Amino acid sequence: PPYVSLLVATKHEMAQRLFNTRFQLSFSTLMKADGKNATRPLLLGRSSGSDMVLDYRTVSARHASIRFKNGEFIFTDAGSSNGSYLYLRRPLELSPSQSVQFRLGRSMI
């Protein structure tokens, strides 16, 4: 830990190959000595250099990132052409047992 577990929940013709695939992305090797901050964010996108590779044309090469800072996970769109959309009814503090849905291009995660 800390890590995020992501599940590809989209079932459409472009996403059949990765449907129901789970990615577990760990910050453990990226932690600074303080243990509260990562040295870099985890990258989500179509590029083979991403930590989570989604090879779909609606996902940008560098679509979004997840940063771990001061004990919190911060999701940020990287200026992608098709956007990233978080589905939250209201702002809330997330606990490890809660899940959040977001979209990268046409793919629901």
Side-chain angles (χ1 to χ4, degrees):
Y3 68 90
V4 292
S5 183
L6 304 170
L7 176 70
V8 179
T10 304
K11 194 172 190 177
H12 58 73
E13 64 185 48
M14 286 178 49
Q16 286 181 5
R17 195 182 71 219
L18 287 176
F19 172 66
N20 216 21
T21 300
R22 183 173 304 275
F23 292 83
Q24 186 165 315
L25 306 176
S26 176
F27 287 90
S28 63
T29 61
L30 304 174
M31 297 301 290
K32 290 183 180 177
D34 66 6
K36 292 184 180 181
N37 300 305
T39 57
R40 70 168 181 84
L42 294 172
L43 304 174
L44 313 175
R46 196 175 65 235
S47 167
S48 61
S50 297
D51 297 292
M52 178 178 174
V53 178
L54 292 169
D55 191 18
Y56 304 130
R57 62 187 162 125
T58 59
V59 175
S60 295
R62 294 194 116 177
H63 201 102
S65 66
I66 300 174
R67 181 173 295 284
F68 184 73
K69 187 173 182 181
N70 298 324
E72 296 180 339
F73 296 101
I74 302 163
F75 177 92
T76 306
D77 183 83
S80 62
S81 57
N82 288 314
S84 302
Y85 303 94
L86 288 170
Y87 289 91
L88 297 173
R89 291 190 179 95
R90 56 182 166 55
L92 65 131
E93 192 172 310
L94 295 174
S95 71
S97 62
Q98 288 177 303
S99 62
V100 173
Q101 292 180 357
F102 61 91
R103 194 175 84 194
L104 299 180
R106 289 179 45 198
S107 300
M108 185 67 89
I109 310 297

